[in-house]
Amino acid sequence: MEKTKNRLEVCLSPAIYDKHADDQNLVVIVDILRATSSICAAVHNGVKSIIPVATVDEAREMKQRGYMVASERDGYVLDFADFGNSPFNFTPEIVSRKEIVYSTTNGTRCIHKASHSKAVVIGSFLNISSLANWLIEQNAPVLIFCASWKGRFSLEDTVFAGALAERLLNSGKFESICDAVTASVDLWNLAKPDLFGYIQKAAQKDRLASKGLDDCIEYCLTADQTKVIPAFQGDRLIDISDQ
Amino acid sequence: MEKTKNRLEVCLSPAIYDKHADDQNLVVIVDILRATSSICAAVHNGVKSIIPVATVDEAREMKQRGYMVASERDGYVLDFADFGNSPFNFTPEIVSRKEIVYSTTNGTRCIHKASHSKAVVIGSFLNISSLANWLIEQNAPVLIFCASWKGRFSLEDTVFAGALAERLLNSGKFESICDAVTASVDLWNLAKPDLFGYIQKAAQKDRLASKGLDDCIEYCLTADQTKVIPAFQGDRLIDISDQ
């Protein structure tokens, strides 16, 4: 008897999340420039765990309690934080074996928003193959959740969603149940021949460039730099790739 | 001195609308399958005015007050209504010089949601050239507002948004300020060589087909069948193309 395929959906903005929410979903959080790329870099570089917090007040309180804190709003490092949101901050020398508190404009809020789900994992080009293989093995519905920019639509998150969706669909174990999957796969196929060139059109690229923060874009678009799969368990992100 | 260009935005779902709302916007409501196509057809066929109402209760009350009522939910004609949401219902014989009350799953709600704006007009492939020219003449920011399906993302509305956005950008009088414009124009250019074929991928096509309501899709994708520009003024939609 043919096995039923699992649902595959893409949510293009946190404002639409409630339409896609389901306790059975494996939710992939996507904030390519830069939160989820940075989380993958930090976990790859040996961070013990990352505690994502949604608000600036929570981040400040955790700093007072002695944690190392990465925190930014609109690309700016918050004054009390140890550093901001560039993946280049999270070097092995700085983060290895540390617990880090992390709060960003968009990405970390989505982690909490999806925390009712069966699993919440972190996706970026850095870990795309490892993550795709893990998702295919789980035999559960998948929702790719684009953090986007302040609730709007984000080109780079959508293109990544398409790249991941294409791999899941190619496994034969998933079926798309929404137009957002179709659109993101089509945009990924447009972008793929020159991903870096295509992402020059993204508004977030201009936001980062205006603050001198665009040095990490090529890094954030480079696939398969790590096998880690950061997952939200309890109150923190830990690597589950070897579980 | 070079004139400042007007903002051009695309809103991909009513759930995101608040992020784009601005009293100065000219808002184009888009619900290609089928509300805004049907409204253009009705106005072209001589309807005096269309009163969009958001709820089923309002539609029922207006029927009791003697109005002709077009009303559907999820593609089904409501039992008290004279007809549903196919553009083929609105023939000159039936609608000419009539006032019609209209309520649909997605499109009519967006009209009210945007009613704070400088203008609210109805867009579809049927009136795309006439509408594009009118928008270019107004010298004001434009928001193309996709009604979508129950707050999710809709392929056919986005592709139309791209077709209209491309015309506005080509006029040289607009500048895109959001990634949704970029994505919708790129999807339109993918779809353009075979629009009917491309829209076969849309979930709404399957929803309509499952109810035998897909006979109007080719009609709804055919450009420039009318010059009318239905606009929301007071509590009703009237043609402003000759104003």
Side-chain angles (χ1 to χ4, degrees):
Chain A
M1 208 171 77
E2 196 183 350
K3 211 199 138 313
T4 310
K5 294 184 179 189
N6 284 303
R7 282 184 285 112
L8 173 62
E9 294 176 80
V10 169
C11 172
L12 294 173
S13 151
I16 312 179
Y17 178 75
D18 292 345
K19 314 287 178 185
H20 296 277
D22 186 316
D23 290 353
Q24 295 307 308
N25 281 341
L26 308 174
V27 179
V28 180
I29 308 291
V30 179
D31 188 0
I32 297 300
L33 297 176
R34 303 169 293 171
T36 59
S37 301
S38 295
I39 289 168
C40 289
V43 172
H44 179 72
N45 287 335
V47 77
K48 185 177 166 192
S49 65
I50 294 174
I51 305 172
V53 300
T55 68
V56 172
D57 285 346
E58 287 171 275
R60 186 184 289 110
E61 191 195 317
M62 297 295 268
K63 176 66 191 171
Q64 287 162 354
R65 287 170 56 189
Y67 283 94
M68 185 178 279
V69 171
S71 186
E72 61 85 31
R73 283 296 179 280
D74 298 347
Y76 294 107
V77 182
L78 295 180
D79 58 357
F80 61 83
D82 296 286
F83 36 71
N85 194 20
S86 168
F88 298 151
N89 293 327
F90 301 89
T91 61
E93 296 71 29
I94 293 177
V95 303
S96 182
R97 301 187 183 181
K98 295 281 200 329
E99 290 186 317
I100 293 181
V101 168
Y102 199 26
S103 179
T104 68
T105 312
N106 305 292
T108 50
R109 300 176 188 195
C110 297
I111 293 171
H112 292 105
K113 204 172 175 92
S115 61
H116 64 89
S117 311
K118 187 175 180 190
V120 178
V121 294
I122 300 298
S124 72
F125 284 103
L126 279 69
N127 71 340
I128 186 170
S129 292
S130 174
L131 176 61
N133 292 337
W134 184 85
L135 291 166
I136 291 165
E137 285 167 8
Q138 301 309 305
N139 191 20
V142 168
L143 172 63
I144 308 173
F145 181 7
C146 298
S148 82
W149 179 255
K150 296 187 177 179
R152 290 164 170 240
F153 167 89
S154 151
L155 197 60
E156 68 278 10
D157 292 349
T158 306
V159 163
F160 172 81
L164 182 59
E166 186 179 67
R167 289 172 187 238
L168 300 185
L169 292 171
N170 285 347
S171 76
K173 296 189 174 175
F174 292 89
E175 62 179 349
S176 160
I177 64 155
C178 72
D179 281 358
V181 173
T182 308
S184 60
V185 170
D186 282 350
L187 290 170
W188 159 243
N189 279 292
L190 264 182
K192 186 162 46 176
D194 176 17
L195 182 58
F196 184 71
Y198 189 80
I199 296 301
Q200 299 300 308
K201 299 202 279 188
Q204 178 70 346
K205 181 261 170 190
D206 292 334
R207 286 185 209 105
L208 292 175
S210 71
K211 295 165 190 145
L213 298 173
D214 56 339
D215 57 334
C216 63
I217 293 179
E218 195 150 4
Y219 176 85
C220 293
L221 300 179
T222 303
D224 296 336
Q225 302 183 61
T226 181
K227 292 188 186 307
V228 299
I229 302 171
F232 191 53
Q233 297 192 345
D235 64 348
R236 59 197 63 203
L237 295 159
I238 58 162
D239 180 23
I240 58 163
S241 62
D242 55 2
Q243 288 179 13
Chain B
M1 208 171 81
E2 198 184 347
K3 213 195 137 318
T4 311
K5 293 183 177 188
N6 284 302
R7 282 185 285 111
L8 173 62
E9 295 175 80
V10 169
C11 172
L12 294 173
S13 152
I16 313 180
Y17 178 75
D18 292 344
K19 314 286 179 187
H20 294 277
D22 186 317
D23 289 353
Q24 294 308 308
N25 281 341
L26 308 173
V27 178
V28 180
I29 309 291
V30 179
D31 188 0
I32 296 301
L33 297 176
R34 302 171 290 168
T36 59
S37 302
S38 294
I39 290 168
C40 289
V43 172
H44 179 71
N45 287 336
V47 77
K48 185 177 165 193
S49 64
I50 295 173
I51 304 172
V53 300
T55 69
V56 171
D57 285 345
E58 288 171 276
R60 187 184 289 109
E61 191 196 317
M62 297 294 270
K63 176 68 191 170
Q64 287 162 353
R65 287 169 56 189
Y67 283 94
M68 183 177 282
V69 171
S71 187
E72 62 85 30
R73 284 296 179 279
D74 297 349
Y76 294 106
V77 181
L78 295 180
D79 58 358
F80 61 83
D82 296 285
F83 36 69
N85 194 19
S86 168
F88 299 150
N89 293 328
F90 302 90
T91 60
E93 297 69 30
I94 293 177
V95 303
S96 183
R97 299 186 186 184
K98 295 280 199 333
E99 289 186 315
I100 294 182
V101 168
Y102 198 28
S103 181
T104 68
T105 312
N106 305 293
T108 50
R109 298 176 189 196
C110 297
I111 294 170
H112 292 105
K113 206 173 173 88
S115 61
H116 64 87
S117 310
K118 187 176 177 188
V120 178
V121 294
I122 300 298
S124 72
F125 284 103
L126 279 69
N127 70 342
I128 186 170
S129 294
S130 174
L131 176 61
N133 293 337
W134 183 85
L135 291 167
I136 291 165
E137 286 167 7
Q138 301 308 305
N139 191 20
V142 168
L143 173 63
I144 307 173
F145 181 8
C146 299
S148 82
W149 178 257
K150 297 187 177 180
R152 289 165 171 240
F153 167 89
S154 151
L155 198 60
E156 68 278 9
D157 292 349
T158 305
V159 163
F160 172 81
L164 182 59
E166 185 179 68
R167 290 172 187 238
L168 300 185
L169 292 171
N170 285 346
S171 75
K173 296 188 174 176
F174 292 90
E175 61 178 350
S176 159
I177 63 156
C178 71
D179 281 359
V181 173
T182 307
S184 60
V185 170
D186 281 351
L187 290 169
W188 159 242
N189 279 292
L190 266 180
K192 186 163 46 176
D194 177 16
L195 182 58
F196 184 72
Y198 190 81
I199 296 300
Q200 300 300 307
K201 299 202 280 188
Q204 178 70 348
K205 181 258 169 189
D206 292 335
R207 287 186 208 103
L208 292 174
S210 70
K211 295 165 190 146
L213 298 173
D214 56 339
D215 56 336
C216 65
I217 293 180
E218 195 150 6
Y219 177 84
C220 292
L221 300 178
T222 303
D224 297 335
Q225 303 183 61
T226 181
K227 292 189 187 305
V228 299
I229 301 170
F232 191 54
Q233 297 191 345
D235 64 347
R236 60 197 62 203
L237 294 159
I238 57 161
D239 180 22
I240 59 163
S241 63
D242 55 0
Q243 289 180 9

